[in-house]
Amino acid sequence: MNARMTTLGLLTFALPSGTLAAQNPFALRTVPVAAPTTPATKSTTARAVTFTKDVAPILQQKCQSCHQPGSIAPMSLLTYEDAKKYSRRIRAKVSARLMPPWHIDRTIGVQQFKNDGGLSDAQLATIVDWVDTGTPMGDPKDMPPAITFPDPNRWQLAEQLGVQPDLVIRSKPYTLAPKTQDKWFRPVVETGLTEPRWVRAIEVKPVRANDRKIVHHVLAYLLQPEQGVTGLASSAHDHQMNAGLFMEWAVGKTGQIFPEDAGKLMLPGSQIRWEVHMHAIGEEIKDSQVEMAVYFYPKGFVPPHRTVLRMFDLSRDRDLDIPPNEKTVTQNFYVMPAPGRLENFQPHMHMRGKAMSLEAVFPDGRREVISAVNNFQWNWHINYVYATEAAPLLPKGTTLVFTAWHDNTAANENNPDPSQWVGWGDRTVDEMAHNWIDVTYLEQAEFDTLVAARKAKALKKPVP
């Protein structure tokens, strides 16, 4: 049974029984939309749903940026004929909440994000209604004007920021053979920076469409002669001994725009050490490269906080034990050494990964589920970026409880071989379990002020 409540404004939603629900993610995989029975899953209109008036606007808003020629999706959905041809597949994918790729559990935890790309219940029901009623086209006059999409390989954060990147850094080229085991390429390149600059956003992507086919993920480490961690809250200096990872990329993640009061620092003479994980696809890919766009704050601007990208490892130093034909649960715990704000939630697992949750146990004993992904898809590593007003504020001493579920049975359609024992490893057929989260540590006085402001705002909200 779900219950919604607001607690001190720290989290938008909390679920006293959420812990129990999160422990059984396999029961939450499919959204029942075949026969709408609740207002949340009914189409918003009483008239017949048509493609031109109802479905086309949804596809334009949520699907066509990928489902267009030359982009990453396997088929185009730009026209009525396209959508009708694939209508049964579309129905199956959206009903299972597999597409668009947004796999957060919508019944638990924070639900306000800066980059929510999923369908609302009403949009989902509209598409299902359209398919179930025979995919009617409707009046051509109702068809919205076609959207002219920009280059799908463009710098996407440039649109949100309104400026092009200040600095672009490319890895060295690497040629991948048609058939070979997974490869990890770790070149070091100069950034060319000649003065200290604070970073407001970072974006990473494969350079060409062919490069995108073979790159599984990218890690970018910033190497620079820095003593300590400049800009870190004083309360965290004894605990955070390095600046963390500069940026991580996988399919489903563009990069990150940091909050207006936070950023990362690059120093003169700095270097980027890339780690590019590639897998062969049966054809030689020559001179593959990845690249990073860096967007700076104006010269001389120093944000109040240094944000740190941390890997919260659930495997307890590579100790995963997933027997054949079994489902497993893995947990690990971290204590907040200082007051802080979590900026995002990004689970990382491989083909047996099915779900991951984060629960906060506060110093006074209260427990709240912050976020949970209950339908993890290994080929989509979505970064769920919290909205500014919803980013969790956690006091010093809060215990972060990370839980991951792996399914090594034949019921997992992504499982290549349920008869195999699986442990921790870099290869896609091995497993991992960690979560990438940007943490912004805060001074105690600022933390108290932010909590008080959220509490006051919550009290002003009208009771529905």
Side-chain angles (χ1 to χ4, degrees):
M1 175 180 178
N2 293 344
R4 178 184 297 182
M5 68 178 187
T6 300
T7 304
L8 293 178
L10 298 181
L11 302 175
T12 305
F13 298 103
L15 191 64
S17 60
T19 305
L20 296 177
Q23 288 174 356
N24 185 22
F26 302 103
L28 304 175
R29 293 186 64 242
T30 301
V31 177
V33 296
T37 55
T38 68
T41 56
K42 289 182 178 178
S43 175
T44 56
T45 176
R47 58 174 171 73
V49 172
T50 68
F51 179 82
T52 55
K53 195 172 187 64
D54 305 296
V55 176
I58 299 173
L59 297 184
Q60 288 186 343
Q61 181 185 357
K62 296 294 180 71
C63 308
Q64 290 181 357
S65 62
C66 292
H67 286 275
Q68 59 172 299
S71 191
I72 62 174
M75 72 280 199
S76 172
L77 294 178
L78 295 183
T79 68
Y80 168 73
E81 288 74 19
D82 292 336
K84 181 180 180 180
K85 179 179 179 181
Y86 296 106
S87 59
R88 301 309 300 181
R89 189 188 303 184
I90 293 172
R91 186 192 188 285
K93 293 288 186 180
V94 301
S95 297
R97 289 284 190 192
L98 294 176
M99 283 288 164
W102 187 258
H103 308 124
I104 201 83
D105 188 331
R106 291 181 179 274
T107 68
I108 302 174
V110 178
Q111 295 297 316
Q112 296 161 275
F113 300 93
K114 294 179 178 178
N115 60 334
D116 190 341
L119 295 177
S120 68
D121 289 346
Q123 289 174 324
L124 193 159
T126 295
I127 292 175
V128 170
D129 284 353
W130 175 67
V131 177
D132 289 349
T133 55
T135 63
M137 178 176 179
D139 190 338
K141 295 179 181 177
D142 292 332
M143 188 73 175
I147 294 179
T148 301
F149 290 98
D151 179 0
N153 204 37
R154 69 196 182 284
W155 292 115
Q156 297 185 39
L157 296 187
E159 297 174 7
Q160 300 179 47
L161 295 169
V163 295
Q164 290 300 310
D166 296 294
L167 178 65
V168 174
I169 306 165
R170 282 192 175 183
S171 67
K172 296 175 182 176
Y174 185 92
T175 296
L176 188 66
K179 295 182 179 179
T180 182
Q181 292 191 356
D182 286 13
K183 300 296 184 186
W184 286 262
F185 185 45
R186 299 181 174 93
V188 175
V189 300
E190 304 290 333
T191 66
L193 210 62
T194 58
E195 59 182 336
R197 294 297 301 269
W198 281 90
V199 177
R200 64 186 297 205
I202 306 171
E203 184 173 359
V204 175
K205 66 180 178 63
V207 173
R208 307 166 304 180
N210 272 350
D211 302 332
R212 189 176 291 274
K213 294 178 182 177
I214 62 172
V215 177
H216 176 275
H217 79 266
V218 178
L219 302 181
Y221 299 89
L222 181 64
L223 310 179
Q224 57 187 14
E226 183 178 12
Q227 299 297 322
V229 187
T230 306
L232 200 64
S234 60
S235 54
H237 270 296
D238 291 340
H239 311 282
Q240 185 67 42
M241 308 310 291
N242 59 64
L245 187 68
F246 197 52
M247 185 48 64
E248 180 267 354
W249 177 90
V251 176
K253 180 176 183 177
T254 301
Q256 195 151 337
I257 301 173
F258 304 117
E260 294 181 354
D261 65 351
K264 298 193 176 187
L265 177 63
M266 295 182 73
L267 297 175
S270 55
Q271 299 173 308
I272 295 295
R273 180 167 68 83
W274 298 95
E275 179 178 301
V276 186
H277 176 187
M278 295 169 282
H279 54 88
I281 59 172
E283 63 175 300
E284 182 183 67
I285 303 297
K286 292 185 176 180
D287 298 330
S288 175
Q289 287 179 286
V290 297
E291 58 186 350
M292 170 192 294
V294 182
Y295 303 80
F296 291 130
Y297 281 110
K299 285 187 178 181
F301 177 80
V302 178
H305 303 295
R306 177 83 164 263
T307 188
V308 177
L309 179 55
R310 288 196 53 179
M311 186 185 82
F312 291 93
D313 182 21
L314 283 70
S315 69
R316 298 175 183 269
D317 195 20
R318 306 182 178 185
D319 186 17
L320 282 179
D321 180 1
I322 308 174
N325 298 302
E326 289 192 17
K327 300 173 182 177
T328 61
V329 181
T330 304
Q331 268 191 330
N332 207 353
F333 309 86
Y334 292 84
V335 177
M336 291 289 289
R341 182 179 65 208
L342 306 187
E343 311 293 1
N344 64 296
F345 176 78
Q346 188 195 350
H348 185 108
M349 294 181 284
H350 290 170
M351 303 173 88
R352 277 85 171 182
K354 295 304 295 181
M356 186 177 292
S357 69
L358 169 57
E359 183 179 20
V361 180
F362 294 92
D364 63 5
R366 289 178 299 114
R367 304 169 69 107
E368 294 185 1
V369 175
I370 293 179
S371 284
V373 163
N374 64 347
N375 190 16
F376 182 81
Q377 300 294 310
W378 71 277
N379 47 357
W380 287 102
H381 287 244
I382 307 298
N383 183 28
Y384 303 92
V385 183
Y386 297 123
T388 301
E389 67 277 14
L393 296 170
L394 304 177
K396 177 183 177 180
T398 300
T399 300
L400 304 179
V401 183
F402 291 90
T403 308
W405 289 262
H406 291 88
D407 183 355
N408 195 16
T409 72
N412 177 4
E413 60 184 13
N414 295 321
N415 190 352
D417 187 354
S419 68
Q420 292 291 321
W421 175 89
V422 180
W424 190 95
D426 281 325
R427 303 177 305 170
T428 305
V429 293
D430 301 319
E431 266 307 329
M432 290 187 174
H434 57 259
N435 204 304
W436 293 106
I437 297 179
D438 262 295
V439 181
T440 303
Y441 292 109
L442 304 167
E443 303 291 355
Q444 185 63 52
E446 183 181 14
F447 175 82
D448 293 340
T449 300
L450 291 174
V451 171
R454 286 197 184 179
K455 184 176 181 179
K457 186 175 182 179
L459 291 174
K460 291 180 180 178
K461 287 184 178 179
V463 178

